[in-house]
Amino acid sequence: TLNQNLLMKTDRPVNPVLEFVKSVIVVLGLDSEVDAEVHALKRSLLAQVGVAEYSNLAKWENPCPTLILPDCYCKECQETRDINLCYLPPAEDDEPRQIHWFCEDCGTEYDVVTIERRLIEYAHKSLQRYQLQDLRCTKTNRVATHSLAQVSQCSAELKLDISPAEGRSEIEKLYRLAMHHKLEELEWTTKGILHSFQ
């Protein structure tokens, strides 16, 4: 089952207390005048949740996914911009929920059909990149030269450049985007690609 929440990355388990602590520390760390106090607070809070201060779990990651589509052209003002398709500005209380993207300069809606076609092309290229990737030796990191070999030339295991989980999460992000923005053709395409990962 796919998580329909567009605003959350779903490829890692989430500990809400730890995520809250990391977020508070990042926000407090923006003020350079209280660096020493923030560092002491970070050490104390992480110890209380049982995480070592310098472990990978203690590093803050932006929980919101990003998908930057370069060079989106506005027909009204002729400006091109890179837009983050996963971000929508918050709506006012009396406005309906915005489900498409608008030019920051003139407020004109971008051509959704063009964006959808570009996203479908991106999905196909992501699948192609996954399918045509190299196998590498886990020991030397060299590209395997024998296509049907089970191990590398030094008898080590082979690994993929892009793991199946990474390939799937990229397509799932596009699928959630299609569901959220009601992009039916992209939804149909990504659903078919996701079935090939099973």
Side-chain angles (χ1 to χ4, degrees):
T1 62
L2 292 171
N3 184 348
Q4 302 300 325
N5 186 0
L6 182 65
L7 302 176
M8 285 291 290
K9 291 180 180 176
T10 58
D11 54 351
R12 61 187 174 90
V14 176
N15 177 346
V17 175
L18 178 61
E19 295 302 318
F20 177 74
V21 166
K22 292 191 298 187
S23 298
V24 167
I25 296 301
V26 166
V27 170
L28 293 175
L30 294 174
D31 186 0
S32 58
E33 293 180 11
V34 291
D35 262 349
E37 292 87 351
V38 169
H39 187 71
L41 179 66
K42 177 182 180 180
R43 189 177 324 119
S44 172
L45 291 174
L46 288 174
Q48 288 181 25
V49 294
V51 175
E53 184 179 358
Y54 294 104
S55 77
N56 285 335
L57 288 174
K59 292 179 183 171
W60 184 80
E61 279 184 43
N62 187 350
C64 300
T66 57
L67 180 62
I68 307 295
L69 190 65
D71 302 327
C72 290
Y73 178 73
C74 175
K75 293 178 180 176
E76 187 67 31
C77 65
Q78 278 80 49
E79 288 291 323
T80 57
R81 283 188 181 273
D82 297 349
I83 59 173
N84 181 0
L85 299 178
C86 294
Y87 172 76
L88 291 174
E92 298 295 326
D93 292 336
D94 56 343
E95 290 180 6
R97 192 181 84 181
Q98 175 183 333
I99 61 165
H100 293 297
W101 305 275
F102 293 87
C103 176
E104 290 180 20
D105 292 330
C106 67
T108 305
E109 185 176 351
Y110 285 110
D111 183 15
V112 178
V113 174
T114 303
I115 290 175
E116 185 176 22
R117 284 188 186 138
R118 288 181 65 189
L119 289 173
I120 290 169
E121 182 180 336
Y122 176 76
H124 286 298
K125 284 183 180 177
S126 293
L127 180 63
Q128 185 178 28
R129 188 171 51 249
Y130 175 76
Q131 290 175 333
L132 298 178
Q133 69 181 311
D134 291 324
L135 284 172
R136 293 187 183 275
C137 173
T138 54
K139 196 174 190 181
T140 63
N141 215 27
R142 285 185 167 170
V143 175
T145 55
H146 295 50
S147 299
L148 300 175
Q150 301 246 335
V151 292
S152 68
Q153 289 178 335
C154 63
S155 299
E157 293 283 320
L158 295 173
K159 66 177 182 178
L160 295 167
D161 285 341
I162 304 167
S163 71
E166 288 173 308
R168 184 176 176 81
S169 72
E170 190 69 25
I171 302 300
E172 281 180 348
K173 186 192 322 181
L174 288 170
Y175 178 75
R176 291 191 308 269
L177 187 77
M179 295 285 291
H180 184 76
H181 291 283
K182 298 175 177 51
L183 305 173
E184 293 175 3
E185 199 172 329
L186 178 63
E187 180 185 340
W188 181 80
T189 302
T190 52
K191 198 180 229 180
I193 293 172
L194 285 172
H195 284 301
S196 70
F197 275 96
Q198 295 174 351

